[in-house]
C-alpha cells in the first residue's frame, strides 16, 4: 500500500515490512509478542492481516499476518488486489 491517498494521518505512515519485523522483535520472546499483540491490536477476528508498503513486484506486496488462536506470526506475499487492512505506524 502506497499512501498517496492520505490513508494515514500526518505524522503516521504505512509501515514497510522491515518496520513490522522490528516492532515484533522489540516486543520480546514469542510468548510476550503474542500476548502484547493480542492485547494491543485487539483483532476482532482470529486471523488478521495488514498491508505493508513493501512491494515485491507490480502485482504483489508483503503483508503481516497474525493468528491469535494458533499463535502464528508471519510475513507473506499477497496479490495487490486482495482486500487487507491497513495499520499506520507513527513516524520517528
Amino acid at each position: 500500500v502506497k499512501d498517496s491517498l492520505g490513508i494515514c494521518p500526518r505524522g503516521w505512515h504505512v509501515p514497510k515490512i522491515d518496520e513490522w519485523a522490528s516492532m515484533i522483535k522489540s516486543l520480546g520472546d514469542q510468548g510476550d509478542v503474542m500476548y502484547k499483540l493480542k492485547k494491543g491490536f485487539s483483532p476482532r477476528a482470529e486471523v488478521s492481516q495488514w498491508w505493508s508498503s513493501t512491494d515485491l513486484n507490480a502485482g504483489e506486496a508483503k503483508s503481516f499476518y497474525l493468528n491469535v488462536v494458533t499463535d502464528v506470526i508471519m510475513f507473506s506475499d499477497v496479490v495487490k488486489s486482495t482486500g487487507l487492512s491497513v495499520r499506520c505506524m507513527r513516524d520517528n
Side-chain angles (χ1 to χ4, degrees):
V1 169
K2 299 297 180 193
D3 195 13
S4 59
L5 299 176
I7 295 168
C8 296
R10 183 177 298 160
W12 295 75
H13 65 281
V14 178
K16 295 177 183 173
I17 204 68
D18 61 337
E19 290 176 291
W20 277 113
S22 178
M23 180 198 69
I24 302 287
K25 187 176 181 179
S26 74
L27 294 176
D29 65 29
Q30 181 73 15
D32 288 341
V33 169
M34 289 309 299
Y35 173 78
K36 291 173 183 176
L37 289 176
K38 286 178 187 179
K39 186 171 179 135
F41 275 41
S42 302
R44 297 181 187 265
E46 295 172 350
V47 174
S48 300
Q49 196 167 0
W50 296 274
W51 283 117
S52 78
S53 60
T54 303
D55 284 330
L56 288 172
N57 54 51
E60 296 177 303
K62 294 296 252 181
S63 70
F64 168 60
Y65 170 94
L66 173 66
N67 184 321
V68 298
V69 175
T70 59
D71 289 350
V72 171
I73 297 170
M74 67 181 183
F75 303 106
S76 60
D77 305 345
V78 180
V79 175
K80 289 182 180 179
S81 61
T82 304
L84 298 180
S85 297
V86 172
R87 186 122 183 154
C88 299
M89 190 174 280
R90 190 178 306 220
D91 296 345
N92 291 334

